[in-house]
Amino acid sequence: MNFPAIWTIYVHEMTRFFRTFVQSFISPVISTSLYFVVFGTAIGSRIQEVEGVSYGAFIVPGLIMLSVMTQALSNASFGIYFPKFIGTIYELLSAPINFLEIVLGYVGAAATKALFIGVVILGTASFFVDLEVQHPLAMIAFLLLTCISFALFGFIIGIWADNFEQLQLIPLLVVTPLVFLGGSFYSISMLPGIWQTISLFNPVVYLISGFRWSFYGAADVPILVSLLAISGFMLLCVGIIWWIFRTGYKIKP
Amino acid sequence: MAIIEIKDLKKTYEGGFEALKGVSLDMEEGEILALLGPNGAGKTTLISALCGLISPTGGAASVGGHDIVSDYRAARSLIGLVPQEIALEPFQRVWDAVTFSRGLFGLPRDDAHIESVLRQLSLWEKRRARIMELSGGMKRRVLIAKALSHKPRVLFLDEPTAGVDVELRRDMWETVAQLKADGVTIILTTHYIEEAEAIADRIGVIDKGALLLVEDKAALMARMGRKTLLISLREPQAKVPDALEGYGLELADEGQTLVYTYDTHAERTGITGLLQDLGEAGLKLSDLKTTQSSLEEIFVGLVKESAA
């Protein structure tokens, strides 16, 4: 393993994050606050408790997941797409490093940024609602697994995309709807019967449900199923990346 | 031992296009090879295959005795690559761009080395500038600085002087000469024959994925070199005088100049006889000039032959 090279890529990616640190920090704070003003206060005051917690508190895990998934995805996809786009990928390919090391550098950085934003949102939320975390270890595990697996997914999209439109396509058309319909702002049990069944085909449901369980101990689906789902998704991404590595798909003809 | 050994290296793309049709080449340490060839000849493909940008589909190659596929880490550690296209991050600073490259090779920081590279390439004053603030020539030098950041033993320069002004081209040649003095082996591709003539030890001509020839520059020039004797006349002639028919002369410059082509390696060049016969034919000369055919003509001839 060429650890100094992994570190070099990681630091290089994080530098861009720190260059825009204020934006990186302020924007999740503002958007979270807006969600609380709109959903927590304006609408939430008309909603009864959900699964035993106030509506404001109920949406916190979903809000965190929403941002963590989209941030991990967009950071990782842009991170590897950018050198492809401007041509500097030649440097990665001609250096004495392998694909695994490239993935570790880019995915590690994207996951770190997503994690940071998740923590910022958690901190912001604590100003608005009373938070309790019943299973802190599970919470950290879910957060980390989500950061990493969506960064891996983003890396795949970044390799696959041939232009900026494609880069936006999957996050916009697939991920955002899945996340919004994944129970960020409601419990699956609030849906009519048929929609409950349909929701079970949405992988994001398992993530948000599991993550919310680590806060309040209540879940839409069994916690073990959630854990298996996110682990399975991560393995799938690792498998696809392994295939990309084997075939040189889109980057090394 | 050769520092670069290429044996029957092939690259066929999925569509069936053969970009490299079995290229073989050895290079000694400290040598400079210029690869000449028209656009799409396979120059960049060859370099890309050696550096890991594309996967060869046949044959083998090694750098410093390390196979470029099975022992890619050791092989690539010895290689510096300067790509043809300027590929740099516009917002990055020169210093960061160069140290990033060194880091990718897994090497610890070495500010003194980076400084000497930047000074050598006249980039030291610009080390804190962002890439987008630099001129085209400077960007190209940043690419070279990046390639030299890990002290490579072999340097690939893919058209280093394309779109670079004359002065900068001279600077580039000087840089190459310095690197050669340090013992760096260099393969450069170029369109400019004069560039190959000026700095290379050996010259390879590549066309349609095949290496047509690799030869010592001087030997190539001598072997294929033909000279032309231009004889300026006092009085213009309407046609070549009959007495001089056997020499294959041509009239140029509206009858003002006689052109005589000869082979410097022939047993007799025929110059003595020609001059005597000129005198006997009553022609008065005002000037004599000889020119040697350039690499360009040799190159064009070779490529035409391979096309035929």
Side-chain angles (χ1 to χ4, degrees):
Chain A
M1 279 293 240
N2 188 344
F3 288 107
I6 300 172
W7 180 244
T8 300
I9 296 173
Y10 183 84
V11 169
H12 173 257
E13 283 300 291
M14 292 307 287
T15 308
R16 200 173 55 226
F17 179 64
F18 287 122
R19 202 161 50 213
T20 56
F21 185 76
V22 177
Q23 290 102 299
S24 308
F25 182 80
I26 296 289
S27 68
V29 170
I30 291 180
S31 64
T32 311
S33 305
L34 286 174
Y35 274 117
F36 278 113
V37 170
V38 174
F39 288 105
T41 316
I43 297 174
S45 59
R46 291 161 185 267
I47 299 178
Q48 304 157 341
E49 288 194 339
V50 183
E51 287 173 358
V53 290
S54 74
Y55 184 67
F58 176 82
I59 63 172
V60 171
L63 270 184
I64 295 174
M65 276 297 186
L66 183 76
S67 294
V68 163
M69 284 176 202
T70 48
Q71 286 290 330
L73 199 70
S74 63
N75 276 309
S77 60
F78 184 76
I80 189 64
Y81 179 74
F82 187 60
K84 251 178 60 180
F85 177 67
I86 61 170
T88 51
I89 195 155
Y90 86 87
E91 237 191 326
L92 296 172
L93 295 173
S94 62
I97 51 177
N98 64 24
F99 211 69
L100 175 67
E101 288 151 359
I102 296 175
V103 170
L104 286 175
Y106 279 99
V107 168
T112 307
K113 292 177 216 176
L115 185 66
F116 170 82
I117 286 167
V119 171
V120 168
I121 295 175
L122 188 65
T124 311
S126 68
F127 287 102
F128 290 88
V129 291
D130 287 330
L131 283 174
E132 52 165 339
V133 182
Q134 289 187 6
H135 309 281
L137 279 181
M139 188 202 86
I140 292 167
F142 267 110
L143 201 55
L144 283 178
L145 280 171
T146 308
C147 287
I148 294 167
S149 55
F150 275 75
L152 287 167
F153 186 33
F155 189 88
I156 295 169
I157 294 172
I159 294 279
W160 165 78
D162 291 324
N163 49 53
F164 278 102
E165 286 72 29
Q166 287 183 350
L167 199 63
Q168 303 291 342
L169 198 70
I170 303 263
L172 208 67
L173 285 185
V174 181
V175 177
T176 308
L178 285 185
V179 170
F180 269 89
L181 301 174
S184 301
F185 301 108
Y186 55 88
S187 166
I188 301 299
S189 58
M190 293 157 83
L191 295 172
I194 177 73
W195 289 103
Q196 285 193 27
T197 315
I198 291 174
S199 291
L200 293 180
F201 289 97
N202 180 355
V204 176
V205 165
Y206 298 87
L207 281 183
I208 292 177
S209 166
F211 194 51
R212 189 178 290 131
W213 172 86
S214 68
F215 279 79
Y216 309 120
D220 291 328
V221 291
I223 177 68
L224 207 61
V225 176
S226 290
L227 211 53
L228 282 175
I230 180 70
S231 306
F233 179 62
M234 190 160 91
L235 284 178
L236 178 70
C237 290
V238 169
I240 294 173
I241 287 178
W242 178 81
W243 174 82
I244 288 173
F245 167 48
R246 293 286 299 174
T247 57
Y249 175 73
K250 293 250 182 163
I251 49 169
K252 187 174 176 178
Chain B
M1 195 195 77
I3 189 158
I4 301 178
E5 288 180 59
I6 308 171
K7 286 198 185 70
D8 200 27
L9 200 67
K10 286 180 184 150
K11 176 62 185 177
T12 308
Y13 284 98
E14 261 177 45
F17 173 66
E18 284 183 280
L20 291 178
K21 297 170 183 164
V23 170
S24 298
L25 174 71
D26 281 0
M27 279 192 71
E28 297 303 319
E29 187 142 21
E31 201 181 8
I32 301 182
L33 175 84
L35 268 183
L36 291 169
N39 284 323
K43 304 186 295 282
T44 302
T45 309
L46 178 61
I47 287 181
S48 300
L50 293 173
C51 294
L53 304 191
I54 58 170
S55 310
T57 47
S62 67
V63 176
H66 309 287
D67 186 88
I68 57 159
V69 177
S70 62
D71 197 7
Y72 66 93
R73 280 192 207 264
R76 288 185 204 163
S77 296
L78 301 174
I79 299 177
L81 168 63
V82 181
Q84 189 175 334
E85 305 286 335
I86 291 178
L88 291 163
E89 291 187 24
F91 296 104
Q92 214 172 22
R93 295 185 193 280
V94 171
W95 178 270
D96 297 335
V98 178
T99 50
F100 174 73
S101 302
R102 185 176 168 84
L104 282 183
F105 279 76
L107 298 173
R109 267 181 79 147
D110 184 348
D111 290 356
H113 173 63
I114 304 290
E115 179 177 341
S116 81
V117 167
L118 290 179
R119 283 190 188 281
Q120 187 183 355
L121 292 162
S122 322
L123 285 169
W124 179 245
E125 308 299 322
K126 293 283 180 186
R127 64 190 180 280
R128 285 191 238 285
R130 293 191 193 279
I131 299 293
M132 60 184 186
E133 297 160 8
L134 303 182
S135 68
M138 282 181 186
K139 285 180 189 157
R140 209 164 267 285
R141 278 181 279 156
V142 172
L143 288 178
I144 299 179
K146 282 165 81 78
L148 293 177
S149 65
H150 63 283
K151 300 186 185 169
R153 302 306 304 151
V154 174
L155 187 67
F156 291 101
L157 292 162
D158 200 352
E159 298 198 12
T161 55
V164 162
D165 67 34
V166 178
E167 197 184 343
L168 204 61
R169 190 173 305 166
R170 302 254 165 224
D171 286 353
M172 200 77 80
W173 293 356
E174 251 169 53
T175 307
V176 169
Q178 272 181 37
L179 290 169
K180 181 184 161 68
D182 295 341
V184 178
T185 309
I186 298 169
I187 291 189
L188 72 103
T189 71
T190 181
H191 281 300
Y192 302 109
I193 314 269
E194 50 165 353
E195 185 160 282
E197 226 167 332
I199 58 179
D201 300 314
R202 276 201 301 166
I203 288 169
V205 177
I206 190 168
D207 190 34
K208 297 192 179 72
L211 205 51
L212 302 179
L213 123 164
V214 182
E215 211 170 304
D216 190 70
K217 181 179 67 184
L220 180 69
M221 305 276 297
R223 181 164 70 83
M224 307 195 74
R226 296 176 76 78
K227 278 191 126 179
T228 311
L229 175 64
L230 300 173
I231 305 155
S232 303
L233 304 172
R234 284 255 168 88
E235 305 287 327
Q237 301 292 311
K239 64 188 223 26
V240 179
D242 295 339
L244 301 171
E245 226 167 55
Y247 292 100
L249 294 174
E250 282 171 52
L251 266 178
D253 257 357
E254 292 170 349
Q256 202 83 55
T257 308
L258 278 170
V259 182
Y260 175 57
T261 309
Y262 61 99
D263 190 341
T264 48
H265 294 267
E267 272 187 27
R268 290 164 190 273
T269 56
I271 295 174
T272 321
L274 173 65
L275 291 179
Q276 273 178 2
D277 291 348
L278 277 172
E280 280 168 23
L283 295 176
K284 297 230 182 312
L285 316 184
S286 65
D287 196 10
L288 283 178
K289 195 170 113 186
T290 67
T291 60
Q292 186 154 24
S293 62
S294 72
L295 205 48
E296 185 146 1
E297 292 164 59
I298 298 173
F299 169 71
V300 170
L302 271 169
V303 171
K304 266 192 193 150
E305 260 174 51
S306 87

